Amino acid sequence: MIQAIQLILALSFLVLIHELGHFTFARIFKVRVEKFYMFFNPWLSLVRMKKFDGKWHVKFFSKNEDEEWKKHPENTEWGIGWLPFGGYCAIAGMVDETHSTEDLASTPQDWEFRSKPAWQRLLIILGGILVNFIGALVIFSMLLFHYGEEKLPLRNITNGLYYSQILLDEGFQQRDKILTINGVEPDELSDVVQAIIIEGQREVTVLRGTDTVQLTLSEDLGTRYLAEQNTFDKREREKARMDNSYRKQRYVLLSEWIPCVLDSVLEGSVAHAAGLQKGDSLLAIAGTEVPGYMQLVQELQLHPCDSVTIDFSREGQKQSVRVFLGDECKLGITPRIDFQTETKNYSFLQSIPAGIRYGWEILEMYVKQFRLVFTKEGAQSLGGFGAIGGMFPGFWSWYAFWHMTAFLSLILAFMNFLPIPALDGGYILFLLFEMITRRKPSDKFLEIANTIGFWILIALLIFANGNDILKIFF
C-alpha cells in the first residue's frame, strides 16, 4: 500500500508539472487552454471548476457536458478526473487526443494553437518536456543540498568483491578487486555495472591476491544478465506463491565482499536463541561452506521452515549449533562491515551544478541502457505500473520518494521526446519538418498519425502491464 501511494503521488506530481509546462507556454503566447485536468475524466469528473461572470463555479461528481460553461470558452476549466493514469491540457486549435479535424473545421482564430508561428508552437509542445527535465534537476540539487552525496569508493572495499555466477563464468573469482575497465578506473560499483552491462565494455583488469589479471568479457554479457535476472525473478515468484509470507530477494550481480563475522545479534532472534555472539565467524550452513555474507544469505534461502546445523568459530574454536529457520530464512544478525562510505556535503550554490551533473549522468545511463529494450531479454524485463511501483521502498522515506520521483521525471522527459505520434516528440518531429520545408502537414494527416501513435502507446502499455500480470501468475 505504501508503494502504491508513493507511485500515485509521484506520477500525479509529474503529470501536473508536465501539463503546467504546456499550459504556461500556451498562455505566454496567448493561446486558449480549454481544459486542464489531473487524471482522465471520461463521461464524468470528480471535481470541475471554472471562473466566469466574475466568480468561480465548482461542481462535484459532474457530467462533462455543460451548456452554460461552454458559453465561456475564453476561460480554462480546471478539474480532477476519476481515472488516475495521467492527465491532459486541452489547447485550443490543436489536433490531439482531445480534438479531431471536425472540431477544427472553422476558420482559425488568433487565440488558437494552429494560428501561431511554428517556433511558438514548438515551445508550447516542448514546455512539458522542459519542465520535467528541469524539475528533475531541481529535485536532485535540493536532495544533495539537504542530504549530501554518500558514496562507497571501490578503493575503500579492501576485502574485494562478491561476484554472481554469471560473472564467475566470465573468469572473475571471489574477492577479485577491479582495477580498470577499458583502461579507466571505476569509482563505484555502479560505474562497474554501467561499464560492463549497459555500455558493453569488455576489457577488465583485476587484482587477484598479488597478481594482476586481464579478463575479456563476452559480447552478450548484457543480454545474458537480463535473462539471468528474469530467471531469478521467476524463481522468487514461485517461492512467493508457495509461501505468502516469503519476502522477495534482490538479484545481486556484484557487491562488496562481507565476511561472515558477526557484529551484532538481534535479541529474540534465531541466532540469539542459538547462543551466537558478536565476533563469531560463521563457517557453514547445513554442511555447505559460506565464506562470505552473500553466500550465507543464499544458503539460508534454501531452508525455509527447516532445521539446519550452523558451524561457526569462536576464539579459534570450531563449534556447531542446530537452529530452526522460519519462513523468512533469517538468523537475525548483522555482519561486520570493514569498509566506510564517504559523504560530501554541498552548500546551496554548490548543490545546483552538482544536481545538474548528477541528473545528467542518470539520464545518460538510462539512454545507454535503452538499447537493451530491443532484445528479447530486455522486452521480457519491461514492466508497467506494478514494476514502477516496486521501485519505491516498502516504507516511507522522503529521500527515496523524491529521488525516485526525479528519476521518473527524467524518464518521462526522455520518453516524451521520442518521435512517436501522440507523444510530444511526434509533434516536435512534424513541427521541425514544417520549419525546414516550409510546408505544414494537414490536420487530417496529424489526426491519422496521432491515432496510429495512440494505439502504439496503448499496445506498449498493455504489453508492459501484461508482463506485470504474467509475473504474478507464472
Side-chain angles (χ1 to χ4, degrees):
M1 181 61 69
I2 292 177
Q3 288 177 313
I5 292 173
Q6 291 181 91
L7 174 65
I8 293 174
L9 287 176
L11 293 182
S12 299
F13 171 75
L14 296 179
V15 169
L16 176 64
I17 65 172
H18 180 90
E19 298 302 333
L20 276 175
H22 294 310
F23 176 87
T24 301
F25 278 97
R27 299 306 297 142
I28 287 174
F29 299 126
K30 303 187 184 311
V31 175
R32 287 182 183 177
V33 179
E34 298 168 347
K35 293 184 179 182
F36 187 101
Y37 265 76
M38 170 63 67
F39 306 147
F40 292 113
N41 62 323
W43 306 296
L44 60 88
S45 306
L46 297 181
V47 182
R48 299 170 64 217
M49 299 174 289
K50 192 169 188 177
K51 186 177 181 180
F52 54 89
D53 294 336
K55 62 180 181 179
W56 281 96
H57 299 260
V58 182
K59 290 188 177 183
F60 298 93
F61 304 101
S62 169
K63 292 183 178 180
N64 295 329
E65 297 301 322
D66 194 308
E67 294 300 326
E68 178 65 22
W69 286 27
K70 287 183 178 180
K71 296 178 182 179
H72 307 275
E74 69 280 2
N75 295 328
T76 302
E77 177 184 324
W78 302 82
I80 301 177
W82 58 269
L83 193 61
F85 293 119
Y88 66 93
C89 175
I91 299 175
M94 178 178 176
V95 179
D96 60 7
E97 67 274 9
T98 63
H99 298 96
S100 65
T101 52
E102 286 75 15
D103 299 321
L104 306 178
S106 60
T107 303
Q109 304 297 317
D110 291 340
W111 39 262
E112 288 186 320
F113 175 83
R114 56 180 170 165
S115 299
K116 301 300 178 180
W119 68 271
Q120 292 186 6
R121 283 179 278 136
L122 180 63
L123 286 176
I124 292 173
I125 297 301
L126 278 172
I129 297 175
L130 289 173
V131 169
N132 278 131
F133 179 68
I134 296 172
L137 300 184
V138 170
I139 294 174
F140 283 135
S141 296
M142 293 304 96
L143 288 176
L144 291 176
F145 171 63
H146 189 271
Y147 295 98
E149 185 176 18
E150 186 177 23
K151 289 185 175 183
L152 176 58
L154 282 179
R155 64 177 181 274
N156 289 8
I157 308 176
T158 56
N159 288 324
L161 300 176
Y162 161 83
Y163 299 91
S164 62
Q165 187 59 51
I166 191 173
L167 292 182
L168 295 178
D169 294 340
E170 292 292 321
F172 289 98
Q173 292 186 13
Q174 301 295 9
R175 304 190 68 171
D176 278 352
K177 298 178 182 179
I178 296 179
L179 300 178
T180 63
I181 303 177
N182 278 23
V184 178
E185 181 181 354
D187 185 40
E188 298 179 88
L189 282 176
S190 59
D191 297 332
V192 176
V193 176
Q194 178 173 338
I196 66 175
I197 299 298
I198 298 175
E199 298 178 1
Q201 298 182 18
R202 301 177 60 200
E203 301 301 324
V204 182
T205 303
V206 302
L207 181 64
R208 183 171 299 163
T210 59
D211 298 328
T212 300
V213 179
Q214 184 71 32
L215 302 176
T216 300
L217 308 183
S218 304
E219 293 183 358
D220 63 345
L221 178 59
T223 54
R224 285 172 44 229
Y225 162 71
L226 290 177
E228 181 66 23
Q229 190 175 43
N230 291 337
T231 302
F232 177 87
D233 289 342
K234 184 176 181 179
R235 288 198 300 264
E236 294 302 300
R237 292 193 300 271
E238 290 173 351
K239 292 177 183 178
R241 283 193 291 272
M242 294 173 62
D243 186 347
N244 292 331
S245 63
Y246 178 83
R247 293 186 179 181
K248 179 181 176 181
Q249 300 298 309
R250 180 174 60 92
Y251 181 81
V252 178
L253 179 67
L254 76 165
S255 66
E256 311 86 0
W257 180 273
I258 302 175
C260 284
V261 179
L262 306 192
D263 184 67
S264 64
V265 177
L266 181 65
E267 187 174 352
S269 65
V270 172
H272 184 263
L276 294 176
Q277 302 175 8
K278 178 179 180 178
D280 289 349
S281 297
L282 303 189
L283 304 176
I285 302 293
T288 302
E289 291 186 2
V290 285
Y293 184 70
M294 287 302 302
Q295 289 93 336
L296 168 69
V297 172
Q298 293 171 351
E299 188 61 31
L300 289 174
Q301 292 300 316
L302 301 178
H303 303 279
C305 300
D306 193 9
S307 179
V308 298
T309 298
I310 298 179
D311 297 327
F312 65 97
S313 174
R314 177 179 298 167
E315 298 179 353
Q317 299 295 317
K318 184 178 179 179
Q319 302 182 42
S320 298
V321 65
R322 197 158 187 85
V323 302
F324 180 79
L325 297 174
D327 50 25
E328 292 187 2
C329 306
K330 293 185 177 180
L331 292 176
I333 61 173
T334 301
R336 187 179 69 197
I337 303 298
D338 295 328
F339 48 82
Q340 291 184 339
T341 60
E342 298 177 0
T343 301
K344 182 177 181 180
N345 295 314
Y346 296 89
S347 67
F348 179 78
L349 292 179
Q350 290 173 333
S351 69
I352 296 174
I356 294 174
R357 170 189 54 80
Y358 185 76
W360 185 260
E361 289 175 353
I362 290 180
L363 178 61
E364 185 179 24
M365 180 179 67
Y366 180 79
V367 173
K368 287 179 179 178
Q369 74 179 33
F370 193 70
R371 65 180 179 84
L372 297 175
V373 172
F374 300 100
T375 65
K376 176 184 176 182
E377 294 78 9
Q380 293 175 347
S381 300
L382 279 178
F385 295 112
I388 298 174
M391 297 169 67
F392 289 92
F395 56 91
W396 188 267
S397 164
W398 281 112
Y399 175 84
F401 171 77
W402 283 113
H403 191 278
M404 184 55 61
T405 299
F407 175 67
L408 292 177
S409 190
L410 285 178
I411 293 178
L412 185 60
F414 172 71
M415 296 300 293
N416 264 287
F417 196 70
L418 295 178
I420 299 176
L423 290 180
D424 292 345
Y427 290 102
I428 292 171
L429 179 65
F430 296 138
L431 281 168
L432 291 176
F433 172 82
E434 177 184 346
M435 295 171 72
I436 294 172
T437 64
R438 306 293 182 180
R439 295 177 57 190
K440 183 179 179 180
S442 68
D443 290 339
K444 188 64 178 178
F445 171 81
L446 292 177
E447 181 183 17
I448 294 173
N450 283 331
T451 301
I452 295 173
F454 173 79
W455 287 111
I456 290 175
L457 295 177
I458 292 296
L460 289 174
L461 282 173
I462 293 174
F463 179 80
N465 288 284
N467 272 350
D468 288 346
I469 296 174
L470 289 175
K471 290 174 182 178
I472 295 176
F473 297 103
F474 301 99

